[in-house]
Amino acid sequence: MTHVSMPADLRHVAERAKGFMPSNEGQALFETAYTYGSLGPICEIGTYCGKSAIYLGAAARQVGSVVFTVDHHRGSEEIQPGWAHHDPTLMDPRFGKMDSLPFFRAAIAKAGLEEEVIAVVGRSETVARYWNTRLAMLFIDGGHSEGPVTSDYEGWAPHVMVGGALVFHDIYPDPADGGQAPLRVFERALASGDFKEVAAEGSLRVLQRVGFSA
């Protein structure tokens, strides 16, 4: 991995945006995007309010890449009403549904990254079905139950180019620390033989498609 500091102004915006990405993991995400972004576009599955997209977009700007971030913006299971991570300020009273899209747009505008970060609004599995562009980096951080993580991996991992990166968030070897679905899919990716682990920071895991050394 390339060790490079994220610009202080963008790091400041990222750290204050709504989201669940610790700053050390955000820096690692930035470094990963910086390392692989020059090979092609970056794709994030699970936008929420744009926190991680700022880390990705900051790197994309420096290496001349772009970030596509895919989300239906109605919230994953764990942030719905009655769940531990629910944020009532994201509820749209007109429809009785979550809507994180306005918060994402405000965060990206505040960061000045509207040219580098492109929102794709829709269900991950639907977008994946019609996606045809090779990816230099794929970051899976959408729904964290078994179905969504599996679907994101199966739908998007085949698009990662040889030498590109597949990145998972919320990998917890100890069940006491968090859900196990992302860990199981991460282990499946390793067992496939298509990827090798090249970096880890907190709950972030970076895999590289076999055949290239970054």
Side-chain angles (χ1 to χ4, degrees), residues 5 7 16 28 30 36-37 51 58 80 83 88 92 105 119 121 125 134-135 140 148 190 192-193 197 201 211:
S5 295
R16 283 155 181 77
F30 168 80
Y36 292 92
K51 189 180 189 74
Q80 297 301 321
W83 289 72
D92 186 336
R105 293 202 65 171
V121 182
E125 59 268 34
R134 287 291 178 191
L135 299 171
I140 295 180
L190 275 178
S192 72
E197 185 173 357
E201 178 62 45

Side-chain angles (χ1 to χ4, degrees), residues 35-104:
T35 299
Y36 292 92
S38 61
L39 301 175
I42 297 162
C43 184
E44 172 185 49
I45 309 303
T47 310
Y48 192 49
C49 296
K51 189 180 189 74
S52 55
I54 297 172
Y55 289 106
L56 294 170
R61 171 181 288 173
Q62 292 198 18
V63 298
S65 189
V66 66
V67 179
F68 296 95
T69 181
V70 182
D71 200 315
H72 50 62
H73 286 279
R74 293 305 189 189
S76 55
E77 181 182 58
E78 59 268 22
I79 64 171
Q80 297 301 321
W83 289 72
H85 296 296
H86 176 64
D87 182 345
T89 67
L90 270 62
M91 288 297 294
D92 186 336
R94 298 171 299 176
F95 306 107
K97 296 179 179 180
M98 303 283 289
D99 187 3
S100 55
L101 184 57
F103 294 85
F104 159 77

Side-chain angles (χ1 to χ4, degrees), residues 13-26:
V13 176
E15 289 176 349
R16 283 155 181 77
K18 282 181 180 288
F20 308 101
M21 177 71 64
S23 58
N24 63 312
E25 296 178 7

